[in-house]
């Protein structure tokens, strides 16, 4: 089979490992050929692609980003499914492996289920917010980068007896904040799923200060205090009208300093969490998911994606992975409480 691979949506550590795993599996075991579709769905809509051989993918599993490029081109733009089908027929592309997050997989599911297109998916997101997979590749790397940043900031916080407010990514879910906060020993962890009032944040900071600690506050970008009505944003809206999050740490820092008397600084990690080399865990997970995607293609399981269940790679319908966000459950929030303050 001649299989097209695309990466769509936000970039993520581990994308190249998926590509490598799929190509090596298909070429070596099932005699497939591959083409890399450039910049997500745009490459398929515009027939912009290049061959992918084992030579092209050698040594890329440790590289961040994606060798194929990515974009947020909507699969129903520029002629949509009809145009894609024409391109696939004219260029002898038998199936598509779509690697992406919630938006990409929702589009891929629609193409497979409603349009009858031969599409399978591989889930990626640093936010770890997709249903029906225990973890997504990219999350471990993002959480590790955030944790390393907390470790670095703690040394300067302790030197100056300051409080540090560290903002991490997480528009709707707080998995990165939760894991980085626990790993980095933060005294306050603020998640979108569990709003708390300002006074609770101040109490955690005062408790750490009174024990001689330099308080560390980790906040997900989408956190909204019980005292606010809307998410905090310094950057307005994007071209699609969606709020560009970022700035909740800058919002909280002066409030904490005024309420507690502890000198407070804010740091926004931003896209640092998306970049760099993937961790060993993410490289292995991404490689296994990519190899399994080739098996889905040969079993003609259109509309399905590869998934992690425990330590096993399985498959689930893409539509079931994007029907609801996988949020931090109450049980994880409850166990965190003993570590705060």
């Amino acid at each position: 089979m001649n299989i097209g691979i695309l990466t769509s949506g936000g970039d993520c550590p581990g994308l190249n490992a998926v590509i490598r795993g799929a190509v090596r599996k298909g070429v070596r075991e099932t005699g497939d050929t591959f083409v890399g579709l450039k910049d997500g769905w745009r490459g398929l809509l515009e027939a912009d692609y290049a061959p992918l051989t084992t030579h092209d993918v050698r040594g890329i599993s440790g590289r961040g980003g994606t060798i194929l490029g990515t974009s947020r081109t909507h699969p129903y733009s520029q002629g949509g499914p009809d145009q894609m089908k024409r391109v696939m027929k004219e260029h002898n592309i038998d199936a598509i492996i779509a690697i992406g997050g919630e938006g990409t997989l929702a589009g891929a599911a629609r193409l497979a289920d409603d349009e009858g297109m031969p599409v399978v998916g591989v889930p990626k997101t640093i936010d770890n917010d997709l249903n029906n997979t225990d973890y997504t590749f990219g999350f471990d790397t993002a959480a590790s980068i955030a944790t390393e940043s907390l470790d670095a900031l703690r040394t300067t916080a302790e030197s100056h007896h300051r409080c540090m407010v560290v903002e991490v990514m997480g528009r709707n879910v707080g998995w990165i904040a939760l894991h980085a906060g626990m790993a980095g020993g933060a005294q306050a962890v603020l998640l979108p799923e569990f709003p708390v009032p300002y006074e609770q944040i101040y109490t955690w900071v005062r408790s750490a200060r009174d024990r001689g600690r330099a308080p560390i506050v980790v906040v997900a970008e989408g956190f909204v205090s019980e005292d606010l009505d809307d998410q905090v944003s310094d950057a307005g809206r994007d071209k699609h009208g969606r709020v560009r999050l970022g700035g909740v740490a800058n919002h909280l820092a002066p409030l904490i300093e005024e309420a507690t008397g502890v000198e407070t600084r804010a740091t926004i990690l931003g896209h640092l969490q998306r970049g760099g080399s993937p961790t060993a865990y993410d490289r292995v997970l991404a490689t296994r998911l990519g190899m399994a995607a080739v098996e889905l293609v040969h079993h003609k399981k259109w509309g399905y994606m590869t998934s992690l269940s425990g330590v096993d790679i399985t498959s689930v319908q893409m539509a079931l992975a994007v029907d609801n966000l996988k949020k931090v459950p109450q049980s994880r929030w409850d166990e965190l409480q003993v570590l705060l303050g």
Side-chain angles (χ1 to χ4, degrees):
M1 299 182 74
N2 188 32
I3 302 171
I5 301 180
L6 63 85
T7 54
S8 179
D11 65 309
C12 174
L15 287 168
N16 288 322
V18 176
I19 297 167
R20 175 178 175 273
V23 170
R24 288 179 68 89
K25 168 84 170 183
V27 170
R28 291 189 164 195
E29 288 198 2
T30 46
D32 299 313
T33 56
F34 291 84
V35 294
L37 299 158
K38 297 181 180 180
D39 300 333
W41 297 112
R42 185 197 67 78
L44 183 55
L45 288 163
E46 300 178 10
D48 186 6
Y49 65 88
L52 275 178
T53 67
T54 54
H55 181 273
D56 296 315
V57 301
R58 65 180 184 178
I60 67 171
S61 61
R63 287 172 54 182
T66 165
I67 63 169
L68 300 179
T70 187
S71 72
R72 299 190 185 277
T73 300
H74 197 282
Y76 279 77
S77 64
Q78 303 181 46
D82 290 338
Q83 171 64 7
M84 291 181 183
K85 291 175 183 178
R86 281 193 293 270
V87 169
M88 292 181 70
K89 183 177 181 179
E90 292 173 4
H91 296 267
N92 300 312
I93 300 173
D94 300 307
I96 300 296
I97 296 175
I99 311 168
E102 179 192 8
T104 299
L105 296 181
R110 186 178 169 191
L111 291 173
D113 298 341
D114 297 346
E115 310 293 344
M117 291 184 60
V119 181
V120 301
V122 177
K124 68 88 189 158
T125 167
I126 66 169
D127 291 327
N128 196 42
D129 60 357
L130 287 172
N131 262 336
N132 285 287
T133 185
D134 288 350
Y135 285 99
T136 51
F137 70 87
F139 167 68
D140 186 69
T141 303
S144 295
I145 290 171
T147 300
E148 291 170 3
S149 300
L150 293 183
D151 291 344
L153 288 167
R154 184 176 294 282
T155 60
T156 187
E158 291 176 344
S159 296
H160 293 272
H161 313 294
R162 287 173 176 160
C163 170
M164 290 289 185
V165 183
V166 184
E167 180 178 321
V168 300
M169 285 184 168
R171 172 178 288 270
N172 298 304
V173 301
W175 287 104
I176 295 175
L178 174 69
H179 279 234
M182 291 186 74
Q187 281 76 33
V189 179
L190 309 176
L191 313 180
E193 294 92 334
F194 302 101
V196 297
Y198 290 136
E199 191 54 47
Q200 177 62 74
I201 303 170
Y202 306 153
T203 297
W204 284 327
V205 170
R206 292 188 189 105
S207 174
R209 175 203 59 193
D210 292 346
R211 290 183 291 107
R213 301 302 307 278
I216 300 293
V217 178
V218 179
V219 56
E221 62 185 354
F223 169 76
V224 180
S225 168
E226 286 184 0
D227 305 297
L228 291 177
D229 295 325
D230 299 304
Q231 292 172 319
V232 175
S233 172
D234 289 341
R237 297 179 180 273
D238 62 20
K239 64 181 180 180
H240 303 293
R242 192 169 72 161
V243 172
R244 292 183 186 273
L245 292 183
V248 66
N250 291 330
H251 168 77
L252 288 173
L255 298 177
I256 291 172
E257 181 167 331
E258 181 180 2
T260 66
V262 180
E263 187 179 3
T264 305
R265 296 288 186 270
T267 298
I268 300 175
L269 298 185
H271 287 83
L272 281 172
Q273 297 155 90
R274 286 193 181 278
S277 298
T279 60
Y281 179 88
D282 276 342
R283 296 183 200 190
V284 172
L285 175 58
T287 300
R288 295 179 70 202
L289 291 171
M291 292 190 295
V294 174
E295 295 181 2
L296 290 185
V297 168
H298 281 274
H299 287 96
K300 300 187 187 312
K301 297 189 70 171
W302 315 131
Y304 278 73
M305 72 173 199
T306 55
S307 170
L308 178 68
S309 178
V311 296
D312 298 321
I313 303 298
T314 61
S315 64
V316 298
Q317 288 180 286
M318 283 188 280
L320 298 180
V322 297
D323 56 354
N324 287 296
L325 291 176
K326 182 178 70 182
K327 297 187 175 184
V328 175
Q330 183 72 46
S331 60
R332 293 296 304 272
W333 176 247
D334 291 342
E335 73 179 9
L336 177 67
Q337 300 309 300
V338 71
L339 303 175
L340 303 181

